[in-house]
Amino acid sequence: MQAHSIDPDYGTDSSLTADALMVSRMRLVLAVSALLAVAVDLRDPQQRVGSVVWLTFSCYALYSLGVYICTRKGQPYFQGKAIHWFDVLWFTLIVFATGGIGSLYFLFYFFAILTSSFRWGYEEGARVTMASVASFAICGLGTSLASDTPQLLMRTTFLLALGHMIGHWGGSKVELRRRLSLLSQVSRLSNPRFGVARTIASTMEKTLAFYKASHCILLTRDTATSSWVMRTLRQSHAGEAVDVETIDQAFELPLMALNPGHIVLRNRLPWPLSRLCVQGHAFDLRLRHWYAQDEPGLRRSAAVTAMLEARSFISAPLPMRQGEGRIYVSSSEGLFRKSDALFLAHMMGQVFPVIETIGVLDRMASEAASKERLKISLDLHDTAIQPYIGLKLGLSALRKKAGADNPLVEDLDKLASMADGVVADLRHYAGIVKHGGETHCEFILPHLHRQAARIKTLYGIDMEILVDGDVHLDDRMTAEVLQLVREGLNNICKHTHAHRGRIHIGCTDGGLQIRIENESCGMDFSSFRPRSISERAAALGGSAQVGQGAGGATAVLIEIPI
């Protein structure tokens, strides 16, 4: 079965640095101890220690000291996988210099096996074990006699067996650390203010990355509407939006033919293993045990494998209080284990109760907000729209009194046009507030262009819009971003004399970044805190700060975790 290994940059930087420093310290202790042992042997006239042995141990001690110093300085190269491979080369040289098969220093190989297994997992530990066995065997064959063959066989067997056990336990430790890290990430989830859809998408992205899978599919059915929703995320589309599709006849899909009370594991094995081993297993959640699938179960799981074009898949039911569903994780190349399937079910058991709670709170908030929006829309009409209508009527009256040759005619016409635009915007905004806004705001770019066009018309400021790739946001997030951008543009219009500006939006490292700039206009840069923007960003779990851009421009940088 496949055993997952851990990437060099997986986990926190502090834990990796601490592990590398501890290993380098133990390597230095091991090298100094070996050097002292050689020094003791030099004082014994019955021991013959050649200059080659002394030089080898001295060089290895200096090498260990250099690695320790570089690790303390935080050099990233000395925290990678190459170091324990250099250890294997050094230990091979030490064994060869100290007599080959009869050398007690062959035990040094276990240091490289331990460090590689407990830091990088079973696969890396197995590779180092095989390299150590091969190196020791080559040294033994090159320096031994025929009478030493039994000792060579015993020591290589001992090295291989114990190295495999160390690798297995080290891989288990690494796998446990990866699972705890994933559970910690999904427990924090996405920002609940962005709704259930973004939380589910975040969970699917983390699951796909953890299993290094090709597909992650989530099928859910709400008992209130009896409609099925299928969410799909592919490895090739990582970083993009999750595909959402409503299914009318869900029972016709092979994905819904599995037993809702079973966790299913399917591995398509090559011939002749497919004839010797069972390819499908199911875990009964009620009886709490694994069993081999019967013929109908194998046919159903084979249909799922064919549909997903996968070599293997795992599937678990979702613990939903109001509905039902399943999650599928498939791989086109690797194989899954029973522990992978059980952990998937355990993770869904941790995540979906929280997701359902977010959904309930979201519905409660929406109902309360609907009543509040109606009240706010009426207040907007009475306190904001009516005064602007009065202003427009007053400007129209002044325009009629002014003669054709009056120098203020052009300004009056411009003010009247601006008042018409503001009244139209306020009425549109009041309608949005009353009816809950637009229902489809996935692409934010058209909305930004409309805001920039309005600023150009009213204030003569040219705004450049830059968006890195396709920024996919849901309705709630789009509304929040547009309001933040609107606040930034209003600040430029009210507090600066700039004629040009820029809006830059992008999604990087699990966060949304908004950068609003305006030209310097010959004024010295002064630091300030945009109160309204900072408060809105903080309410979304983010932050806002002001800095100086190119050419002395003022730039407001907003970062929001999504």
Side-chain angles (χ1 to χ4, degrees), residues 196 200 218-231 245-248 250 256 318-326 352 355-356 359-360 362-363:
V196 173
I200 293 177
L218 196 71
L219 277 170
T220 56
R221 184 178 72 89
D222 191 351
T223 54
T225 60
S226 297
S227 60
W228 288 88
V229 177
M230 182 171 70
R231 294 175 172 86
E245 180 182 359
T246 301
I247 303 173
D248 296 329
M256 296 308 302
L318 303 179
M320 300 176 63
R321 293 187 294 267
Q322 298 179 347
E324 59 179 311
R326 293 192 74 89
F352 258 85
I355 290 177
E356 288 191 306
V360 172
D362 192 52
R363 286 192 293 269

Side-chain angles (χ1 to χ4, degrees), residues 156-177:
T156 53
T157 304
F158 176 74
L159 191 61
L160 181 62
L162 195 56
H164 175 75
M165 294 174 61
I166 292 172
H168 175 75
W169 286 329
S172 299
K173 178 253 186 183
V174 170
E175 186 69 16
L176 179 61
R177 185 174 64 182

Side-chain angles (χ1 to χ4, degrees), residues 141-353:
L141 293 175
T143 60
S144 65
L145 301 175
S147 58
D148 296 329
T149 303
Q151 187 179 12
L152 174 62
L153 180 60
M154 286 299 300
R155 290 197 172 191
T156 53
T157 304
F158 176 74
L159 191 61
L160 181 62
L162 195 56
H164 175 75
M165 294 174 61
I166 292 172
H168 175 75
W169 286 329
S172 299
K173 178 253 186 183
V174 170
E175 186 69 16
L176 179 61
R177 185 174 64 182
R178 294 180 71 242
R179 291 178 178 180
L180 289 175
S181 177
L182 178 63
L183 288 175
S184 174
Q185 293 177 38
V186 298
S187 64
R188 293 192 296 266
L189 298 173
S190 299
N191 195 326
R193 295 181 179 88
F194 302 152
V196 173
R198 182 58 203 167
T199 304
I200 293 177
S202 176
T203 302
M204 293 178 66
E205 291 171 2
K206 292 178 175 65
T207 302
L208 188 74
F210 176 82
Y211 285 103
K212 300 178 182 177
S214 55
H215 285 81
C216 182
I217 299 176
L218 196 71
L219 277 170
T220 56
R221 184 178 72 89
D222 191 351
T223 54
T225 60
S226 297
S227 60
W228 288 88
V229 177
M230 182 171 70
R231 294 175 172 86
T232 305
L233 183 63
R234 299 175 180 84
Q235 184 183 31
S236 57
H237 297 170
E240 300 182 6
V242 175
D243 296 332
V244 182
E245 180 182 359
T246 301
I247 303 173
D248 296 329
Q249 301 294 334
F251 59 87
E252 296 180 357
L253 284 177
L255 299 177
M256 296 308 302
L258 301 182
N259 192 319
H262 289 172
I263 302 170
V264 178
L265 165 65
R266 167 79 180 193
N267 287 318
R268 190 173 61 191
L269 303 174
W271 190 90
L273 292 179
S274 59
R275 299 292 182 181
L276 302 175
C277 302
V278 178
Q279 300 188 73
H281 294 82
F283 182 82
D284 194 316
L285 293 173
R286 184 174 59 86
L287 301 178
R288 309 300 298 176
H289 76 86
W290 285 97
Y291 68 91
Q293 285 185 312
D294 54 13
E295 191 63 28
L298 288 174
R299 285 198 300 268
R300 289 192 292 266
S301 60
V304 174
T305 304
M307 178 182 176
L308 300 178
E309 297 180 351
R311 184 183 179 187
S312 61
F313 79 88
I314 51 178
S315 176
L318 303 179
M320 300 176 63
R321 293 187 294 267
Q322 298 179 347
E324 59 179 311
R326 293 192 74 89
I327 184 171
Y328 290 82
V329 178
S330 65
S331 175
S332 58
E333 298 178 356
L335 301 176
F336 292 113
R337 301 166 296 177
K338 292 180 179 179
S339 59
D340 296 327
L342 293 176
F343 177 70
L344 179 65
H346 176 73
M347 182 174 61
M348 292 300 107
Q350 299 295 317
V351 172
F352 258 85

Side-chain angles (χ1 to χ4, degrees), residues 528 530 534 543-547 555-559:
F528 64 96
S534 299
S543 62
Q545 56 184 352
V546 179
V556 179
L557 179 62
I558 306 167
E559 295 181 341

